[in-house]
Amino acid sequence: MLSGKQRAYLRSLAQKEDAILYVGKAGVTEPVIAETRDALAARELVKGRVQEASMLTAAEAQAALCQACQAEGVQVIGNVFVLYKKRDNGAKIILPKG
């Protein structure tokens, strides 16, 4: 579970990133989940966007992907969401204490 301080730190890092995940009208499908797992393994912090044609909100898409990938939801603003999952070996992002 992320603390408020850690969540704020991750939000500041995500602000500079571009969205690399896109959830379309089909919703959270197996290919989207697989892409999310790969992106989290490579980056730890991933920004995604829900397309206007999608029947899901960004919060719903984030919750579904968090559950499927055992990730933490960091932020949802409009149709953009941010996910975080610490690597098991060699964490890339060092979180502040607390």
Side-chain angles (χ1 to χ4, degrees), residues 34-91:
E35 184 180 349
T36 304
R37 283 190 183 125
D38 292 344
L40 286 168
R43 297 178 175 222
E44 291 183 310
L45 186 68
V46 177
K47 187 184 276 190
R49 181 179 301 274
V50 175
Q51 302 294 323
E52 289 188 25
S54 178
M55 301 301 269
L56 297 174
T57 66
E60 292 168 337
Q62 181 191 46
L65 288 170
C66 282
Q67 183 177 6
C69 300
Q70 289 81 43
E72 295 271 351
V74 175
Q75 178 179 24
V76 175
I77 296 179
N79 61 350
V80 176
F81 59 90
V82 179
L83 303 173
Y84 170 76
K85 183 176 182 184
K86 182 178 179 179
R87 276 190 202 162
D88 293 333
N89 54 350

